[in-house]
Amino acid sequence: MDDEYETYKLWRVRKTVWQLCHDRGYLVAQSELDQTLEGFKLQFGDKPSERRPNRIDLTILVAHSEDPTDQMFIFFPEEPKVGIKTIKSFCQRMQEENITRAVIVVQLGMTPSAKQSLGDMAPKYILEYFLESELLINITEHELVPEHVILTPEEKTELLMRYKLKENHLMRIQAGDPVARYFGLKRGQVS
């Protein structure tokens, strides 16, 4: 494993995760959004082959700006392919800290049973997962991706009334769309 590249990759992924949290309305310090590669190396180390940084140390906990009780974990599991045992340990930690939402950043993927367990945990726990490769860049900053603004229920009602539309007249976005996943959109939300 090339330590230099691996450190760079972890820094890029963590930077995109901070932006994801900020774009979803969670409180994120500007210093986290602006962290340089050198700052990352000072804080976490630059020898991934020697577990510096240790992926567990990269775990993030953020609170929502409008509701401080709405908190979200970002987990970085050690194993390349995440299994159900790891998912259960994350859920146990979430239960201990009374947190219902989490994002899991996996290296290579998840076992089929782990993926199924994510769905089984809903609606008590909302667990999403992203591959590290999906978070190397922030897709919302790409020149071909139009700006997305998530409307509040009030803004959605106003939009429907202004243009005399029904909800089924609005364009659809797939739940698996990369931008929908990035923003954590749920059925019925308008972007």
Side-chain angles (χ1 to χ4, degrees), residues 14-186:
R14 196 161 195 268
K15 187 176 181 84
T16 302
V17 165
W18 279 119
Q19 292 167 340
L20 177 145
C21 293
H22 180 264
D23 291 344
R24 288 184 179 195
Y26 288 90
L27 295 171
V28 176
Q30 192 62 42
S31 60
E32 297 290 0
L33 293 170
D34 297 337
Q35 186 177 48
T36 63
L37 178 57
E38 290 309 311
F40 179 84
K41 288 177 180 179
L42 285 172
Q43 184 177 357
F44 296 105
D46 60 356
K47 296 263 191 257
S49 60
E50 299 172 13
R51 293 193 180 281
R52 291 191 336 256
N54 191 341
R55 289 176 189 274
I56 291 170
D57 297 338
L58 301 177
T59 299
I60 298 171
L61 175 61
V62 289
H64 203 278
S65 58
E66 294 173 6
D67 179 10
T69 61
D70 177 11
Q71 296 180 317
M72 178 171 71
F73 264 122
I74 314 293
F75 294 113
F76 293 82
E78 288 290 337
E79 40 302 309
K81 191 153 178 132
V82 175
I84 198 160
K85 184 178 175 186
T86 305
I87 301 295
K88 285 183 179 178
S89 71
F90 291 155
C91 286
Q92 184 176 356
R93 180 162 179 200
M94 290 167 67
Q95 186 175 17
E96 289 167 3
E97 302 199 28
N98 201 23
I99 295 169
T100 59
R101 181 179 294 274
V103 171
I104 303 167
V105 180
V106 299
Q107 296 174 55
L108 298 176
M110 299 182 109
T111 63
S113 58
K115 283 182 190 174
Q116 184 180 351
S117 71
L118 296 184
D120 295 345
M121 301 289 181
K124 185 176 181 185
Y125 296 111
I126 300 164
L127 294 159
E128 305 169 70
Y129 81 95
F130 289 89
L131 294 171
E132 283 182 357
S133 59
E134 294 174 311
L135 297 172
L136 282 173
I137 61 160
N138 183 341
I139 57 163
T140 62
E141 294 176 355
H142 192 280
E143 65 183 27
L144 296 177
V145 177
E147 181 179 357
H148 287 69
V149 177
I150 292 33
L151 301 182
T152 64
E154 297 79 29
E155 292 169 330
K156 177 181 170 183
T157 304
E158 183 183 324
L159 173 82
L160 294 173
M161 289 175 59
R162 177 194 272 173
Y163 295 105
K164 296 177 176 57
L165 296 172
K166 293 184 175 134
E167 197 168 332
N168 63 346
H169 292 142
L170 296 174
M171 292 182 68
R172 306 265 189 272
I173 186 169
Q174 295 288 323
D177 182 89
V179 174
R181 290 182 60 221
Y182 177 88
F183 284 111
L185 295 178
K186 296 179 210 75

